[in-house]
């Protein structure tokens, strides 16, 4: 069915539209500032309750908890994740270069605190491989492992205390940074770690984790390399020491991988059919511990075991705060990675289940979790990919599942922990490697990414190569900088197009892409698809000059002709009577423009600012410069579709001193109709018909 639209209205300039449809003047800046500052200071019972529910979300969702509907799912999911936390916590502690018991502590305290302050219903916090790897690199730099260290000596105990002191200091400083970011409402900063950056970074970090675990899987006693090219240094060291492989630990690793990989694949493929995933990690830990105890693998075959795991809670103590100047730079990267991954996971599952999370509140939750946990000898924590996925697939509904997760870890801390004395470290290394399955599978996204956006594909590739070749921290920084440079380059090269009108419509489209849209005679309509600021003003000016033919020689020629015309006008006025002079001037003026300007030559330039999201001072000065140059050419400048911020900056910069305020229009078609009517017959009451 064919439909049509007919509109008959006045032509609207910005001033006229504002007078007709605009709102009343806003209060002054001082008044708005006073209201903004006084609003949070108003104290009432309702305000206090609202603030409490907003900052401690458990008081908001717990009274609305549907006990009969949700309790079973939260219980099953929480217990399942708690069982997984035990082996993963001990395994990721090895990545952090601290004793396994500290991984159990980090799997308990952050879970409880996030349950109180977090907004993600399906987020599981605790130890995360990438964050643990980054923390371990800093720990190894400040407290390196001395050669030929006896694990049962007093020096080993002192070394362990120093290492957990540094790791706790990183967690403390990371938490303080997040709390400061919360105070400044900087939750939006996580958006600078785009999805291609996060996926490439975690995928590349998975290679670092895998290579770092080879020595434990092969039973080699090698130093841990840090800094640039650490992955290749570690790999070269492992290959060089392959003849010294402990065959018993190699066999243990192969058996564990043969069990873990297939069963985890079954858990993934049959996730919808299985009520809960098969707890293969904890079963492997229990069986390996029993076999190692029964056969005395540590003494008979020199197999590295976990060793003593103390029962009970750790005593609160301050981290090694004297190391803060040395860890500050690395902690910034750890903070951003942990927060970005946590918020990304929370948003994914929030979108899937139809609720919202609050990035700034997530800053508060993870900031409190890291700060308080660091006082109980915990290293940095964040949301984790594997346990969050399991929590959601096991049927979790709310943050209450964290209570059951923490109860499982609590039982292990108080009662069962010492029983893992004979657990081989090779088993934990295998658990580390197999937990990275999701990160390695992110390579499957590359073909789709190439098809959708090749720029994002390049961001992914550059980030991945930088992290793998150089280092985790430096690679992440390069990825972020490269991503931001692509944005800057795209705004610099936004491109200026000439618009043409579709016949008998008010629709204007680029003539390069629409061959049935035609330019309006005598009017050059330009549009720029980006902001106009100091970074791209020269590109914008070059595009406009090319499209309008504004060369210095042509401007000088036209200006010279205009001055000659003015001189003839003054001479005519001084030699003849005024009436005759006016008649003579009108004839000369007409003859001049007939000779200098053809019918189809540009007499007016209209700039469509609908895609110009902002203009800075440099961009505003460029508009003034263009007005001056066009006036020298005898060409008038008109603007259309300016947003409020752009119009305000242009006006404040003095543009109205160089162009008529009545030449700024609401739409492109308003401006075109006005220009055409002015050329034909000027009229005060002009109308538009479409």
């Amino acid at each position: 069915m064919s439909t049509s639209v007919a509109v008959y209205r006045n032509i609207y300039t910005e001033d006229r539209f504002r007078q007709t449809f605009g709102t009343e003047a806003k209060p002054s800046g001082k008044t708005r500032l006073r209201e903004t500052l006084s609003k949070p200071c108003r104290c009432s019972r309702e305000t206090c309750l609202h603030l409490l529910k907003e900052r401690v979300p458990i008081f908001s969702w717990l009274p609305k908890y549907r006990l009969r509907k949700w309790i079973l799912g939260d219980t099953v999911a929480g217990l399942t994740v708690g069982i997984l936390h035990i082996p993963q916590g001990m395994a990721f502690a090895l990545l952090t270069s601290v004793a396994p018991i500290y991984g159990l502590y980090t799997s308990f305290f952050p879970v409880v605190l996030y349950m109180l302050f977090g907004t993600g219903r399906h987020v599981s916090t605790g130890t995360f491989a990438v964050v643990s790897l980054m923390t371990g690199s800093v720990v190894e730099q400040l407290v390196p492992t001395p050669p030929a260290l006896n694990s049962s000596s007093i020096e080993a105990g002192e070394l362990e205390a120093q290492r957990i002191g540094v790791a706790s200091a990183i967690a403390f400083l990371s938490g303080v940074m997040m709390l400061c970011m919360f105070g400044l409402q900087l939750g939006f900063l996580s958006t600078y770690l785009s999805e291609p950056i996060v996926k490439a970074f975690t995928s590349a970090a998975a290679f670092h984790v895998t290579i770092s675990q080879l020595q434990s899987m092969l039973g080699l006693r090698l130093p841990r390399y840090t800094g640039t090219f650490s992955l290749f240094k570690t790999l070269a060291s492992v290959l060089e020491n392959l003849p010294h492989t402990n065959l018993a630990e190699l066999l243990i690793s192969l058996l564990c991988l043969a069990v873990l990989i297939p069963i985890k694949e079954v858990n993934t493929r049959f996730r919808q059919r299985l009520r809960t995933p098969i707890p293969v990690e904890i079963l492997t830990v229990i069986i390996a511990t029993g076999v190692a105890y029964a056969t005395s693998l540590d003494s008979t075959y020199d197999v590295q075991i976990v060793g003593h795991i103390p029962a009970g809670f750790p005593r609160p103590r301050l981290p090694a705060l004297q190391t803060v100047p040395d860890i500050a730079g690395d902690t910034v990267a750890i903070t951003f990675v942990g927060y970005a991954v946590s918020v990304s996971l929370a948003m994914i599952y929030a979108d899937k289940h139809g609720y919202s999370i609050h990035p700034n509140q997530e800053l508060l939750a993870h900031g409190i979790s890291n700060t308080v946990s660091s006082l109980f000898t915990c290293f940095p924590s964040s949301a984790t990919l594997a346990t969050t996925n399991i929590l959601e697939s096991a049927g979790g509904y709310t943050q209450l599942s964290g209570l059951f997760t923490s109860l499982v870890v609590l039982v292990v801390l108080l009662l069962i922990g010492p029983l893992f004395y004979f657990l081989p470290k090779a088993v934990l290394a295998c658990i580390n490697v197999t937990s990275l399955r999701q990160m390695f599978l992110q390579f499957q996204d590359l073909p789709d990414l190439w098809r959708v956006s090749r720029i994002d594909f390049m961001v992914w590739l550059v980030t991945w190569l930088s992290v793998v070749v150089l280092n985790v921290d430096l690679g992440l920084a390069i990825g972020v900088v490269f991503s931001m440079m692509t944005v800057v380059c795209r705004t610099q090269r936004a491109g200026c197009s000439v618009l043409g009108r579709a016949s008998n419509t008010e629709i204007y489209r680029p003539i390069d892409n629409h061959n049935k849209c035609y330019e309006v005679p005598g009017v050059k309509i330009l549009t720029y698809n980006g902001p106009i600021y100091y970074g791209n003003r020269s590109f914008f000016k070059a595009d406009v000059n090319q499209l309008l033919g504004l060369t210095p020689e042509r401007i000088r020629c036209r200006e010279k002709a205009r001055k000659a015309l003015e001189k003839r006008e003054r001479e005519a006025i001084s030699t003849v009577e005024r009436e005759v002079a006016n008649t003579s001037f009108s004839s000369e003026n007409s003859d001049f423009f007939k000779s200098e300007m053809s019918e189809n030559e540009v007499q007016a330039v209209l700039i469509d600012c609908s895609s110009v999201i902002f203009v800075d001072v440099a961009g505003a000065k460029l508009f003034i410069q263009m007005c001056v140059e066009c006036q020298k050419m005898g060409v008038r400048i008109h603007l259309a579709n300016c947003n409020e911020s752009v119009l305000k900056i242009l006006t404040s910069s003095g543009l109205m001193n160089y162009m008529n305020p009545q030449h700024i229009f609401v739409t492109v078609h308003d401006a075109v109709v006005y220009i055409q009517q002015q050329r034909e017959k000027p009229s005060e009451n002009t109308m538009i018909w479409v």
Side-chain angles (χ1 to χ4, degrees), residues 291-409:
V291 172
Y293 171 75
T295 58
S296 301
L297 291 178
D298 58 324
S299 58
T300 306
Y301 298 101
D302 194 26
V303 172
Q304 297 182 78
I305 59 175
V306 168
H308 175 62
I309 297 180
F313 277 115
R315 292 182 179 180
R317 67 179 187 183
L318 285 175
L321 298 181
Q322 70 275 9
T323 62
V324 167
D326 299 321
I327 64 176
D330 296 292
T331 305
V332 172
I334 294 172
T335 301
F336 271 90
V337 170
Y339 174 63
V341 171
S342 301
V343 171
S344 298
L345 279 175
M347 286 184 173
I348 288 171
Y349 289 102
D351 293 340
K352 182 178 180 180
H353 292 275
Y355 63 91
S356 61
I357 66 138
H358 305 288
N360 285 308
Q361 180 62 27
E362 290 295 295
L363 274 175
L364 177 65
H366 290 287
I368 292 176
S369 296
N370 280 284
T371 305
V372 176
S373 299
S374 67
L375 304 177
F376 294 92
T377 60
C378 295
F379 50 85
S381 62
S382 71
T384 63
L385 294 174
T387 54
T388 298
N389 187 28
I390 291 174
L391 179 67
E392 190 265 345
S393 61
Y397 288 100
T398 66
Q399 296 94 317
L400 191 64
S401 58
L403 174 64
F404 301 101
T405 298
S406 58
L407 287 177
V408 174
V409 181

Side-chain angles (χ1 to χ4, degrees), residues 222-454:
L222 302 175
R224 182 169 175 175
Y225 294 94
T226 58
T228 56
F229 309 109
S230 58
L231 184 143
F232 301 102
K233 294 177 183 177
T234 303
L235 187 59
S237 179
V238 169
L239 294 176
E240 184 180 353
N241 289 272
L242 274 180
H244 305 292
T245 299
N246 187 319
L247 295 179
E249 294 193 69
L250 175 60
L251 181 60
I252 292 172
S253 299
L254 292 176
L255 289 174
C256 288
L257 292 176
V259 172
L260 289 169
I261 293 176
I263 296 182
K264 289 175 78 71
E265 190 67 25
V266 169
N267 284 340
T268 302
R269 293 197 176 187
F270 299 97
R271 181 171 51 187
Q272 302 298 330
R273 299 183 183 181
L274 295 173
R275 183 65 184 87
T276 60
I278 301 172
V280 61
E281 289 91 349
I282 191 64
L283 292 176
T284 304
V285 166
I286 294 173
I287 294 172
T289 303
V291 172
Y293 171 75
T295 58
S296 301
L297 291 178
D298 58 324
S299 58
T300 306
Y301 298 101
D302 194 26
V303 172
Q304 297 182 78
I305 59 175
V306 168
H308 175 62
I309 297 180
F313 277 115
R315 292 182 179 180
R317 67 179 187 183
L318 285 175
L321 298 181
Q322 70 275 9
T323 62
V324 167
D326 299 321
I327 64 176
D330 296 292
T331 305
V332 172
I334 294 172
T335 301
F336 271 90
V337 170
Y339 174 63
V341 171
S342 301
V343 171
S344 298
L345 279 175
M347 286 184 173
I348 288 171
Y349 289 102
D351 293 340
K352 182 178 180 180
H353 292 275
Y355 63 91
S356 61
I357 66 138
H358 305 288
N360 285 308
Q361 180 62 27
E362 290 295 295
L363 274 175
L364 177 65
H366 290 287
I368 292 176
S369 296
N370 280 284
T371 305
V372 176
S373 299
S374 67
L375 304 177
F376 294 92
T377 60
C378 295
F379 50 85
S381 62
S382 71
T384 63
L385 294 174
T387 54
T388 298
N389 187 28
I390 291 174
L391 179 67
E392 190 265 345
S393 61
Y397 288 100
T398 66
Q399 296 94 317
L400 191 64
S401 58
L403 174 64
F404 301 101
T405 298
S406 58
L407 287 177
V408 174
V409 181
L410 180 63
V411 171
V412 175
L413 286 174
L414 297 179
L415 302 173
I416 306 176
L419 299 179
F420 294 118
Y421 180 91
F422 290 97
L423 174 63
K425 289 186 177 181
V427 176
L428 297 180
C430 292
I431 292 174
N432 273 335
V433 173
T434 56
S435 68
L436 304 173
R437 177 183 179 277
Q438 285 179 289
M439 300 184 192
F440 285 120
L441 290 180
Q442 291 177 135
F443 281 97
Q444 297 176 351
D445 299 335
L446 287 181
D448 291 337
L449 194 60
W450 172 264
R451 188 179 68 255
V452 174
S453 173
R454 297 189 179 183

